[in-house]
Amino acid sequence: MKKILLSSLLVLGLGANAQWIQNFDNSATLPSGWTVINGGDANGFVIGAVPAGGNVTAAQSGSNVARITYGSTAHDDYLVTPAITVQAGVNDRISYYVASFSSAFTENYSVMLSNTTATAAAFTTTLKATSKATSAWTKVTLDLTPYVGQTIYVGFRATDTNQWYLMFDTIVNDTAPTTVPNCVTATTPADGATGYSVRPTFTWPDAAGASGYKVYLGTSSGSYDILNGVTATSGASLGNNPPLNANTPYYLKIVPLNDVGSATGCTETMFTTGANPYAPYCGPFFSNSPTAIAPIKSVALSTVNNASDASATNIGSFAVNEDFTSVIIPVENTVTALPITVRGMTNGGTTNGWAMSVFIDWNNDGDFGDAGESYFNTTSTMIRSTTPDANGIVTLTGNIAIPSGTSLGTKRMRVKYNFSGITINSPLTTACADMSNGQVEDYTINYKSPTMAVNDINKLNVSVYPNPFKDVLKISDVKDATSVIVSDISGRTVAELKPATELNLSHLNKGVYIVNIKYSNGEVKATKVIKE
């Protein structure tokens, strides 16, 4: 059964005497006309992404929300709308979505009204009494018809002591509709698009008078076996896991709706997916915090120490998926347990925890779901650290037990790294779960019989330098090497060369590459390099 997650993007507009929608996504500052009143905490409301680690993993619409920041003092803070001149049948109601960061810290709030000025003392009318905001986005609609003809301000009031991220999003000032909205068609993907992602993003224009949309998706026209009327706001990312089939046509229909009903006669668009580089394994992956990803710095296993995202100095915008399947990690079948070390970037703080999990398809059946194929993925077995070094990097080390009877050959390995509290965070529990603010890396293990020890030692001593390099890359020893293959971080081959102690790579763009030295016995030494 497909798991469907729809995270939305909504176009906004604002006006004192007309309908408007506010989603806080244009910048990290308050929109024009909005104000914040801080009564008990200097931070007050801010605009930003949903913090990682709580029950609410994404904004209700778009990427940002209005949230009260954490503070240990008592709060009496208001997020205040622009002036609203209430007109019957135009903008005589207000609705919003509200949520608390965590089920363990549900927060009190109320909604107040002023018909004079946007000051704390003027908010004397209660539109919604003090209540708890649940840890899931909840829509609330309030009636403004008693104030027709008046100019008012609406204040969303945070009132708790030890406030912990109370959040508001998709605040709408409109009126109850009298007719159904008109149809719209998807703009992304374009009708007839080919090679589209197996984890697609859908967008469409807003329909006047629509309060939401139903999304239909199927493998044949008029038959919606993937999504059958799943509700969304004004644009959506399809977080289905497993992904859509590769190289397959799909039919998409968007149906606007409101309190009166749904639009009728809406037409389909069609798109065709491209290849899935992770098949037959699950992936690719989404992150609900794509601008706050903590990347993996390195993975060390057996004789390989693969440095990834070597330039990262803090969390930020990094790839959620990194494909290092061209990095071949030799493991001899005389070994029963392997130490693995994962080094990961953090934001430098000591209050957050960071953890890893590892998954290896030992029986080569195309998944990581069999006994003995998961490591460190439960609370009791978790490898976690709250003590980054001076550079903000944590080091996580564990032992991988190899199941008895494992056959020789190559095996897929997946390493996941993510924020985690003392209870393991859900992205780390399975090989197929999407990430919050972490990263996924895939590797290849070559499980083999022992080979000549002298040759192995010689290969370990081979160095690739300088790193970073400009145009020429040097290899200290190419004895027994048969070829040198250079690939980008997606695994695509960009150069295939004869073994030489100096390689001219001046034609490559600046970036990160994997240099794979292949030897006559079939082994591969992989090194990650940076071209300046």
Side-chain angles (χ1 to χ4, degrees):
M1 182 175 181
K2 295 188 185 299
K3 177 183 177 183
I4 304 299
L5 170 67
L6 290 168
S7 60
S8 308
L9 305 168
L10 198 60
V11 177
L12 60 89
L14 190 62
N17 298 303
Q19 297 181 349
W20 51 257
I21 303 170
Q22 186 60 62
N23 278 305
F24 309 107
D25 294 316
N26 278 1
S27 70
T29 59
L30 280 173
S32 176
W34 290 73
T35 56
V36 165
I37 301 170
N38 299 308
D41 185 271
N43 293 321
F45 280 93
V46 298
I47 308 301
V50 176
N55 295 96
V56 180
T57 57
Q60 190 280 326
S61 183
S63 57
N64 285 344
V65 297
R67 68 173 193 246
I68 194 74
T69 58
Y70 173 77
S72 59
T73 57
H75 283 254
D76 188 16
D77 304 300
Y78 292 79
L79 172 69
V80 183
T81 67
I84 300 171
T85 301
V86 183
Q87 300 179 51
V90 176
N91 60 344
D92 52 16
R93 67 177 184 174
I94 191 166
S95 63
Y96 58 92
Y97 282 83
V98 62
S100 292
F101 169 74
S102 168
S103 58
F105 302 98
T106 53
E107 304 296 339
N108 281 307
Y109 81 98
S110 59
V111 183
M112 309 298 292
L113 180 142
S114 166
N115 57 6
T116 55
T117 61
T119 59
F123 283 100
T124 56
T125 300
T126 299
L127 286 177
K128 180 173 176 57
T130 300
S131 58
K132 291 284 187 183
T134 64
S135 58
W137 286 112
T138 303
K139 184 177 181 179
V140 179
T141 301
L142 302 175
D143 183 22
L144 299 181
T145 55
Y147 309 98
V148 168
Q150 300 182 41
T151 298
I152 64 171
Y153 299 88
V154 176
F156 300 89
R157 185 183 187 187
T159 57
D160 263 353
T161 301
N162 294 321
Q163 194 83 41
W164 190 267
Y165 299 128
L166 171 69
M167 298 172 289
F168 294 92
D169 202 7
T170 316
I171 302 174
V172 181
N173 180 216
D174 64 0
T175 190
T178 57
T179 60
V180 299
N182 293 325
C183 287
V184 295
T185 55
T187 51
T188 306
D191 191 21
T194 59
Y196 207 67
S197 171
V198 294
R199 301 290 300 276
T201 295
F202 302 144
T203 63
W204 55 86
D206 281 324
S211 60
Y213 301 84
K214 290 182 179 179
V215 182
Y216 297 85
L217 182 69
T219 51
S220 60
S221 179
S223 178
Y224 305 111
D225 52 320
I226 309 299
L227 296 177
N228 192 5
V230 173
T231 57
T233 51
S234 175
S237 294
L238 176 61
N240 58 311
N241 202 352
L244 300 180
N245 294 327
N247 305 311
T248 301
Y250 286 91
Y251 297 83
L252 173 66
K253 183 169 71 172
I254 310 298
V255 178
L257 57 88
N258 58 23
D259 293 346
V260 178
S262 300
T264 58
C266 300
T267 58
E268 295 175 335
T269 56
M270 189 273 286
F271 66 95
T272 302
T273 55
N276 181 354
Y278 286 85
Y281 297 92
C282 50
F285 296 94
F286 279 165
S287 165
N288 61 36
S289 302
T291 62
I293 289 175
I296 295 172
K297 296 287 289 182
S298 65
V299 173
L301 180 69
S302 183
T303 59
V304 172
N305 186 353
N306 184 60
S308 55
D309 289 314
S311 62
T313 58
N314 208 325
I315 63 175
S317 298
F318 295 92
V320 182
N321 313 264
E322 290 199 301
D323 183 359
F324 291 110
T325 52
S326 61
V327 177
I328 311 298
I329 302 173
V331 176
E332 294 183 353
N333 67 342
T334 56
V335 176
T336 58
L338 286 168
I340 184 170
T341 298
V342 175
R343 298 172 67 248
M345 196 73 240
T346 74
N347 57 2
T350 58
T351 57
N352 294 327
W354 302 86
M356 69 169 180
S357 56
V358 178
F359 306 88
I360 304 175
D361 182 16
W362 289 115
N363 64 359
N364 283 342
D365 66 347
D367 62 47
F368 303 101
D370 300 290
E373 294 187 339
S374 302
Y375 304 87
F376 327 123
N377 66 322
T378 66
T379 297
S380 60
T381 62
M382 177 172 52
I383 305 295
R384 176 177 179 263
S385 174
T386 59
T387 55
D389 64 18
N391 296 314
I393 299 169
V394 293
T395 299
L396 307 168
T397 299
N399 282 302
I400 292 174
I402 301 175
S404 60
T406 298
S407 62
L408 300 181
T410 58
K411 320 290 180 181
R412 177 71 66 93
M413 180 178 76
R414 175 162 294 167
V415 178
K416 303 183 81 174
Y417 170 75
N418 204 87
F419 165 86
S420 184
I422 57 175
T423 299
I424 192 167
N425 203 346
S426 58
L428 298 170
T429 58
T430 72
C432 297
D434 279 322
M435 307 303 290
S436 57
N437 57 346
Q439 205 171 48
V440 182
E441 292 186 353
D442 277 19
Y443 293 86
T444 300
I445 288 177
N446 182 19
Y447 190 59
K448 59 175 187 170
S449 298
T451 56
M452 294 179 62
V454 173
N455 285 343
D456 285 342
I457 292 171
N458 289 340
K459 291 167 193 170
L460 283 175
N461 291 331
V462 172
S463 59
V464 178
Y465 65 97
N467 193 8
F469 74 99
K470 292 188 180 298
D471 292 322
V472 176
L473 192 65
K474 298 182 180 182
I475 302 175
S476 62
D477 187 355
V478 292
K479 182 180 179 181
D480 296 325
T482 58
S483 66
V484 179
I485 296 176
V486 182
S487 60
D488 60 22
I489 59 173
S490 71
R492 181 175 62 92
T493 297
V494 295
E496 187 165 358
L497 309 162
K498 292 182 178 180
T501 55
E502 291 190 2
L503 306 175
N504 187 338
L505 299 176
S506 59
H507 64 288
L508 297 182
N509 295 325
K510 293 180 180 180
V512 180
Y513 297 92
I514 307 296
V515 177
N516 300 284
I517 306 172
K518 294 192 173 184
Y519 293 93
S520 57
N521 67 351
E523 292 189 11
V524 177
K525 177 181 174 64
T527 304
K528 186 173 183 179
V529 298
I530 299 173
K531 184 179 181 192
E532 293 182 330

